[in-house]
Amino acid sequence: MQIQLNGESRRLDGDSTLAQLIETLGLAGRRVAIEVNEEIVPRSQHAQTQLAEGDRVEIVHAIGGG
């Protein structure tokens, strides 16, 4: 399946959830904000959110500072 991840085409093997994508990217446990097709997906919904062909996913991770 092909999705757009932060504006770039990315191929995923088989069905995938948002949580699986986060794990694959090495972002599990990190503070991230995720939008799928221009709608923010709450962290509580990551495991249930199934990705589909052509989805546009934007992931932003928080960086601490002061």
Side-chain angles (χ1 to χ4, degrees), residues 14-30:
D15 292 336
S16 187
T17 64
L18 202 48
Q20 289 168 322
L21 176 61
I22 294 166
E23 182 73 32
T24 299
L25 296 172
L27 297 174
R30 301 197 46 199

Side-chain angles (χ1 to χ4, degrees), residues 3-55:
I3 64 167
Q4 289 290 315
L5 177 60
N6 291 347
E8 296 190 13
S9 186
R10 184 175 185 105
R11 182 149 190 81
L12 302 178
D13 294 330
D15 292 336
S16 187
T17 64
L18 202 48
Q20 289 168 322
L21 176 61
I22 294 166
E23 182 73 32
T24 299
L25 296 172
L27 297 174
R30 301 197 46 199
R31 295 180 59 153
V32 294
I34 303 176
E35 190 178 272
V36 177
N37 300 325
E38 300 181 3
E39 292 193 27
I40 293 174
V41 179
R43 181 181 305 265
S44 62
Q45 299 284 320
H46 290 180
Q48 295 89 359
T49 302
Q50 195 72 35
L51 295 172
E53 182 74 30
D55 277 349

